[in-house]
Amino acid sequence: MELFTPDFGLVFWMFLVFVILFVILAKYAWPAIMKSVDERADLIDKGVTYAQEAKSQLEHATDNARVLINEAQQKQLEILREAAQMKTQIIEEARKAATVEAKKIIDAANVSIELARKESERQFRQQVSDFALQIAEKLVRKELSGDKQQSELVDKLLSDIENKN
Amino acid sequence: MKKYMFHRIALLFALFFACVPVMQAEESEEASFDAKEIIFEHVLDNYGWEVPFSHSNRISLPIIVRDKNGDWSVFGSHRVMHGENYKGFYIAPDGDFKGKVVARDEAGNEYRPLDLSITKNVAALFITAILLCVCFIPMARWYRKHPNGAPRKWFGFMELIFDMLYNDLIKPVLGADARRYSPYLLTVFFFIFFINILGLMVIFPAGANLSGNISITMVLALFTFLIVNLTGTKHYWKDLFWPEVPMWMKCPVPLMPVIEIFGALTKPVALMIRLFANMLGGHLIVLVLISLIFIFGSMGAAVLTGTTVISVFFSLFMMLLDVLISFIQAYVFTILSTIFISLARVRGEESHEQTQIKEKNEIV
């Protein structure tokens, strides 16, 4: 029956040893191990999610790059088209401006020519009248016989001058 | 290294075979083989510790006793080992206190003094405790030195078991309370596991049948009982004394409270008996199988050879099974302790929700 009756000495020592063992392990062993195992599990979880995110991001990145390249190419085409348009526009505008300018210059030239012509005509008339007066003076000095003949002569001379012009 | 290993193994074998004739010689000296006595001597506690390969030589362990006058005596167990009397103390050869240290009072009656001896089991207890500290304190230091590191080899193996308990058992069952109770549960598991395994190794630093001793399992079960009942919530106590059952089951005759309290008391008893009986059973079977060799030994060489082969084969099988049982019993003790604690940690809302779910299920 000794098998089934607890022995006081052994119970006492078991109680003491187990309490001391529990205190030692609970203070110096288990908390550190539990903390480390928990932290490492968290770290591994974080690492896995990070890797998954990175992978998906990488896939996204190639897609994004493709999209960006396409966009850039389209933009390039647009810019080229715009540039061509602008070129033709500028040329057109330049041409228009040039014609306007040319017309202005031509008009100005015409006006000055007209003025010059009028001026020269005026001078010419003055000279003619001077000449006529000089001729008339000469004629008067030479012979003052017939008034009729004289005036005819003057007329003739004048029309001659005019015809010459 | 491997070469030396081979040498060592060869040396061990040589030693073993050298011992065989000595053992046979001893056996022939003992005329009758008392299997029962031999088996119980191995299973029960002793004042000395057997020296390997020698039955009569014992390592002397201190005996600490207090007689009826209140005087303490401390002496080595070798002083009373072979029926000798030391300061009036001797080991009772028979009677109620057979195998224990006893003394006689003035009237000449045999009585048992208060006995706090460092017996074989107590010494094994110390060795186990030191071994546990030696295993786990360096492991904790390793973890502190290597934050987020993964241990290899021995620590890796210990972490495998640790992880199985902590992450697969304690955390899922106890949830938020896991951090609070896991030191106790882990200590219990590794303590039982170590004493079980050490109990299977037959020579000196190991070989004490600790977990097959009811004193040890009683203290372990008592700790679980104390923790369950001292940290139980209000709802646990309410369920114990005033469970949610129809009034007639608890009011005039406290039928349900009695059943509940009886249940709370049988839980630790079941824990105690289960571990004790399983480990004791394993030891007994192996011892009986080995004893068979000596019982049949007198029937001639052919019978002896046959029994030896069969017994060794079966005891090897049983020993391997015991290794498995050592682990399973430690695990079962821990599982049940965890579950008992979790049952005592019921929260009001949770239990209410659970009952609601139960009611719904019943309606469905």
Side-chain angles (χ1 to χ4, degrees), chain B residues 260-272:
Chain B
E260 292 275 350
I261 292 163
F262 190 69
L265 292 175
T266 49
K267 278 172 187 169
V269 174
L271 277 182
M272 171 176 88

Side-chain angles (χ1 to χ4, degrees), chain A residues 7 13 30 34 36 38 40, chain B residues 116 143 149 159 171 179 187:
Chain A
D7 180 61
W13 284 114
W30 304 129
M34 284 191 293
S36 182
D38 281 345
R40 201 182 53 201
Chain B
L116 296 181
Y143 275 110
E159 200 206 273
K171 264 192 190 171
R179 274 274 171 125
T187 310

Side-chain angles (χ1 to χ4, degrees), chain B residues 264-282:
Chain B
L265 292 175
T266 49
K267 278 172 187 169
V269 174
L271 277 182
M272 171 176 88
I273 301 286
R274 182 183 296 106
L275 180 59
F276 162 69
N278 272 289
M279 294 321 294
L280 182 70

